[in-house]
């Protein structure tokens, strides 16, 4: 059984050491970088096999902030751009969390946090990344020009690749596999086996906005992922 390798970009060395010890006791290996630029340098490797399985990214860093680091990660070439990012944010500042999700973070955790919750979030992301959100046949899902390949974890529209984070891909699959069914936010999140969110947490809506931007011809007038006011979302069955 392989050991998951994580990268933590965090300027608090003591916190990083404690997190590393705790995660190590639970079968995870943590590499630490103390600033944004050195963290990015650790991701710019020739061999993709040496990339971490997940990045834990602090929002407040001494050189460039975590939001900019996340933007640069998503702009890296190849597999590095697809690495899941768990962002650590200041407690009580929901706007930072929303912005983080909008630029490509997969999840967030407010400081201070319990190590057990951090571990649970990490395991949920790794589970989604390695095994997908739901058990499904290997064939791709096709809706007109939209193709969702569950094995390759890719999305194309008219043959052009659409960029989604790991979590957003799983959200899209959960909706597409239930095309025509109206799902509440809670049902969607349960389908992807993610963390439970408060009913009014904006993160699920932020993710849906990102997915629409990736697959809809006009995200402001979506035809595939429709909002059902007061309920949730539905993936429309119609073809292009």
């Amino acid at each position: 059984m392989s050991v998951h390798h994580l990268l933590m970009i965090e300027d608090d060395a003591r916190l990083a050491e404690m997190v590393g010890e705790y995660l190590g006791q639970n079968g995870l290996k943590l590499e630490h970088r103390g600033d944004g630029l050195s963290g990015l340098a650790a991701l710019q490797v020739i061999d993709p096999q040496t990339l971490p399985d997940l990045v834990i990214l602090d929002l407040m860093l001494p050189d460039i902030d975590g939001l900019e680091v996340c933007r640069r990660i998503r702009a890296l070439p190849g597999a590095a751009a697809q690495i899941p990012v768990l962002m650590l944010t200041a407690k009580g500042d929901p706007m930072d969390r929303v912005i983080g999700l909008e630029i490509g973070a997969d999840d967030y955790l407010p400081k201070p946090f319990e190590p057990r919750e951090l571990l649970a979030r990490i395991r949920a992301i790794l589970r989604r990344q390695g095994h997908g959100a739901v058990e499904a046949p290997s064939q791709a899902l096709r809706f007109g020009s939209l193709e969702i390949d569950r094995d390759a974890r890719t999305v194309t529209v008219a043959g052009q690749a659409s960029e989604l984070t790991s979590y957003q891909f799983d959200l899209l699959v959960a909706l597409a596999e239930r095309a025509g069914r109206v799902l509440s936010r809670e049902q969607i999140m349960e389908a992807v086996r993610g963390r439970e969110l408060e009913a009014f947490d904006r993160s699920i809506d932020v993710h849906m906005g990102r997915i629409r931007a990736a697959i809809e011809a006009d995200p402001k007038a979506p035809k595939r992922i429709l909002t059902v006011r007061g309920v949730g979302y539905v993936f429309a069955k119609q073809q292009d």
Side-chain angles (χ1 to χ4, degrees):
M1 182 178 178
S2 61
V3 176
H4 287 293
H5 170 209
L6 314 180
L7 172 65
M8 186 174 193
I9 306 175
E10 165 65 63
D11 63 333
D12 188 335
R14 183 178 179 185
L15 174 62
E17 182 180 0
M18 290 189 296
V19 168
E21 290 179 0
Y22 182 81
L23 296 181
Q25 294 169 1
N26 288 274
L28 300 171
K29 181 180 179 181
L30 185 72
E31 178 183 355
H32 172 231
R33 292 289 185 273
D35 59 74
L37 293 177
S38 63
L40 287 167
L43 300 174
Q44 296 171 334
V45 297
I46 297 176
D47 183 2
Q49 298 297 321
T50 64
L51 287 169
D53 298 299
L54 181 144
V55 172
I56 304 170
L57 176 60
D58 186 29
L59 186 65
M60 302 299 294
L61 295 169
D63 49 359
I64 55 177
D65 65 40
L67 295 176
E68 178 61 24
V69 173
C70 189
R71 289 190 187 95
R72 296 190 189 185
I73 290 175
R74 293 296 174 238
L76 289 172
Q82 304 302 317
I83 297 172
V85 174
L86 171 59
M87 185 168 286
L88 304 178
T89 68
K91 189 173 181 65
D93 195 350
M95 185 51 62
D96 283 338
R97 303 171 200 170
V98 170
I99 294 173
L101 293 170
E102 287 178 338
I103 63 175
D106 292 81
D107 198 359
Y108 63 81
L109 183 62
K111 285 184 173 181
F113 55 83
E114 290 290 334
R116 286 192 300 176
E117 183 177 6
L118 174 63
L119 178 61
R121 299 284 184 89
I122 291 171
R123 285 176 170 168
I125 294 173
L126 293 177
R127 182 171 59 245
R128 295 194 302 264
Q129 183 76 359
H131 304 289
V134 294
E135 296 180 2
S138 60
Q139 70 269 20
L141 294 167
R142 294 181 178 86
F143 301 87
S145 63
L146 173 66
E147 179 173 309
I148 306 167
D149 189 324
R150 288 168 292 195
D151 287 344
R153 296 183 66 80
T154 58
V155 177
T156 58
V157 179
Q160 299 296 313
S162 297
E163 297 297 327
L164 294 174
T165 68
S166 174
Y167 188 50
Q168 289 159 7
F169 177 85
D170 290 329
L171 288 171
L172 176 59
V173 169
L175 283 168
E177 288 186 329
R178 299 160 178 81
R181 289 175 51 189
V182 178
L183 301 176
S184 69
R185 290 167 177 79
E186 291 75 13
Q187 288 173 320
I188 296 169
M189 290 182 287
E190 181 181 353
V192 299
R193 301 177 187 172
R195 61 187 181 87
E196 294 182 359
L197 298 177
E198 296 85 357
F200 298 103
D201 195 309
R202 286 186 58 193
S203 65
I204 191 71
D205 300 315
V206 171
H207 283 302
M208 289 301 170
R210 296 286 292 183
I211 296 170
R212 282 171 169 159
I215 70 170
E216 300 276 9
D218 182 0
K220 294 183 179 179
K223 295 183 177 179
R224 295 208 174 278
I225 298 178
L226 308 179
T227 300
V228 180
R229 188 177 299 275
V231 182
Y233 295 92
V234 60
F235 189 95
K237 286 184 175 181
Q238 76 266 19
Q239 302 289 314
D240 293 338

